[in-house]
Amino acid sequence: MFESASWITSPVDCGRACPLFEAAYKFPQKVQKASLSVSAVGLYISHVNGVRYSFGLFNPGWTNYADRIQYQTYDVTASLQDSAEISILGAGGWATANLLLEGEHFFSDRICVIAELRVTYCDGTEEIFSTDESWQVFRSPVLYSHIYNGETIDHTAEKTFLGNAVRHEIFSRLVPQEGVRIREQDRLPAKQFMISPEGDRIIDFGQNLSGYVEIKVNAPKGSRIRIRHAEVLDQNGNFYTKNLRTAKQAMEYVLGSNGEQILKPYFTTQGFRYIAVDEFPGKVDPACFTSVAVYADMKRTGYFSCGNETINRLYNCILWTHRSNFMEVPTDCPQRDERLGWLGDAQLFCKAAAYSYDVYAFYRKWLHDVASQQLPSGAIRSICPFNNAYDFRFSAAWSDTVTIVPWELYRIYGDKTILEDMFTCMCRWVDYMHSAGSEEFLWLGGNHYGDWLALDGPDPREPLTNKDFIGSAFFAYSARKVVECGRELGRDVSEYEQLAANVRKAFRSRYIVNGLPATDTMTGCILLLQFGLAEEQEKEKIVSHLLELMAKFDNTLCTGLLGTAYILHVLSENGYAKKAYDLLLQKKYPSWLGMLDYGATTIWERFDTIDENGIKDVRNASLNHYVYGTILDWLVEGAVGLRSSFSHPGYRKISWKPLPDARLGHAEFRFETPNGIIECRWQITDTDVQYRICLPNAVTAEVHLPDGQSTVITGGDHTFTSRLPD
Ligand code: BGC
């Protein structure tokens, strides 16, 4: 592919405007078949003889551009006769934007495209037409395009010739499409129209999401429309945008013709529930506006539900937050000037994500990018893709993505290639931790995010749980993952077995004091239990201490990213299922359900982001952050009780350990696994608990009911009954 094509760019600096690249070819004889391959530094939309060719939206996608850029190949035979007019609209997208709060952090200072048209004539001969200096460049109606800020599209703008294209060197590899394409997925009508106290005309779509607004309008040529997007109104009902930080999230249109027309952005999405209509021809009719959710085309595979409507609402928030942040890469949030592939968030959420959608291909492509960013030292950066110089931390839990996510994906999907793909990378990461610490088997002195945004100390950005403790705990955990993955691949992992044992030993002698974590926090206790760092006989004391610490915070949720991901698992695994439910169902602030009382339709970055005084901490006040949606993995593995093990991956053999609780009434999960559909359900009646599990023929389940019954079953529909839980 791209045998003779050159990367081309505009002869004049287009800034943030979108250049249009065009070429026309005449064919000497009849065409039998033709294909067009296209890519861009930035984004593109291609047309051949007026027919649009794209795989979904935002082609060619988002990868670690410094290493590889995807291209797409379209069969364009149906659009060709004796000639082809090719046009490619380019945009900066993720390649030219400053991706992060401050400074100049972009991959390229210009938009480039590359294309190759391969034509096979009826006599069997082939001809290739490629991008070169003969292509012409024009100004397009897209006068401004930016992923955070939105677009200005003037459909009356003249198509001005800017000159012939110039060649530009891009050294990255061109690779075929690997990622999951992004598409328009759900369409939501306006729910409410209101005038705010400050006089803004506001439309509420009722659901926070990532996407854009499609406008259907009937108005004269030259009419102007301007809308801004926000996630929330302030406590007085005014349009609130401070939590977007510098992201403008504004769309401006000038209508290009008279009569009815449909308007939407080309290369940008916004995170929003509300829009403010700043300019509109005539009276604002809410029926003209449709909110369109845009996200990766993943297959829905998991369905949870229970008898508690508030928990079902929370589940719905998790689903929407997941959808909002699976855009080419797993992003932290879809609205502010960030929207980045933070590894920690993506690692913690990967199980929950897999319990809703088939995310295997999505994560696999992203992990390839993560691995491609590994430094010669083995260090893994905390964000991927990552444009350049802003040198991020190699943080425990974030960088451990490379060991944990492949392990979990293998456990859930049972496909060994993910382990093959990532094994070298994970070994190198563990070697890095081994060499980075100031003591041989402990990772001391790292620069970690720690239990980020925990509310048990004075500053959520400086959480209390000791960072060296966290660094070494993850070192121990990752070393073990390397051993398990290596064994599964049939590799000799004796060195890593030794290393994992040494790290665990060093960790225990330094960080377990009188049977408790040396860092006296909830997350300290949680990590000891979750990562197998405590011995069996130590567990009861640690979990009792965890309960004491929780009581100090009124049994509300004051753990940060790390503690929150594991807290319910640790409680229910260690005999405190009721306490896990208490915390899940806690309404007092901060808590999962507390967010719902303040109107959340997606999961927030902090449990206490909004209270009666409005939004606090505008720096970390995203209202669409999936990481606290990790609770879904406990609903599935804990409450419903369905698990697949690493030793029998892909749900060939499962364990079913339901945890019925009267406050949920019933709970069920239907899951499309690689080995068929599994359905399990429990229901509390007046007299007993009824259990039902439906298994595909080849699947074996070890069943453990709370009253002590246990059995092994295979295939088919099975029911059990037990006495009511205490
Ligand atoms: C992101 C987080 C991320 C963190 C690193 C934040 O700005 O939104 O979710 O993991 O930075 O600590």
Side-chain angles (χ1 to χ4, degrees), residues 100-101 245 332-333 336 338 342-345 382 392-393 398 449 452-453 561 605 619-620 622 625 627:
L100 243 198
L101 332 170
R245 303 193 302 214
D332 57 338
C333 56
R336 68 180 178 217
E338 192 156 0
W342 280 97
L343 272 61
D345 308 44
S382 300
F392 259 93
R393 311 181 192 186
W398 274 252
Y449 295 105
W452 184 247
L453 298 185
L561 255 62
E605 182 171 18
R619 216 172 119 195
N620 290 99
S622 152
H625 235 69
V627 68

Side-chain angles (χ1 to χ4, degrees), residues 236-415:
N236 303 315
N238 287 315
F239 203 66
Y240 185 90
T241 54
K242 282 197 196 115
N243 67 329
L244 307 176
R245 303 193 302 214
T246 65
K248 299 269 180 297
Q249 295 215 120
M251 283 301 306
E252 286 186 58
Y253 300 97
V254 181
L255 271 55
S257 52
N258 295 317
E260 190 169 281
Q261 45 216 291
I262 290 178
L263 306 164
K264 56 183 167 183
Y266 291 106
F267 300 109
T268 175
T269 53
Q270 290 81 39
F272 69 101
R273 168 176 165 172
Y274 301 90
I275 54 167
V277 185
D278 296 338
E279 283 185 70
F280 195 75
K283 196 166 169 284
V284 172
D285 175 5
C288 296
F289 299 85
T290 305
S291 163
V292 183
V294 170
Y295 51 90
D297 213 3
M298 306 165 284
K299 182 174 179 218
R300 182 82 188 268
T301 47
Y303 297 85
F304 167 86
S305 73
C306 70
N308 181 316
E309 274 322 303
T310 323
I311 296 297
N312 290 337
R313 262 179 70 202
L314 179 70
Y315 175 55
N316 205 40
C317 289
I318 296 169
L319 289 172
W320 273 108
T321 314
H322 176 170
R323 295 170 188 139
S324 306
N325 284 296
F326 274 49
M327 286 275 286
E328 280 294 319
V329 309
T331 58
D332 57 338
C333 56
Q335 74 298 79
R336 68 180 178 217
D337 52 1
E338 192 156 0
R339 311 182 190 187
L340 294 170
W342 280 97
L343 272 61
D345 308 44
Q347 178 266 109
L348 295 165
F349 190 67
C350 82
K351 282 199 283 177
Y355 293 151
S356 300
Y357 287 91
D358 180 348
V359 292
Y360 184 67
F362 182 88
Y363 267 106
R364 187 172 172 219
K365 170 248 175 191
W366 180 67
L367 284 175
H368 290 163
D369 286 306
V370 174
S372 77
Q373 287 187 177
Q374 188 162 34
L375 301 184
S377 62
I380 293 286
R381 287 178 159 137
S382 300
I383 296 177
C384 175
F386 171 83
N387 276 346
N388 58 28
Y390 197 85
D391 209 7
F392 259 93
R393 311 181 192 186
F394 316 128
S395 171
W398 274 252
S399 306
D400 292 289
T401 288
V402 300
T403 54
I404 298 172
V405 178
W407 191 93
E408 293 290 359
L409 292 180
Y410 179 62
R411 187 181 65 80
I412 294 170
Y413 296 101
D415 179 358

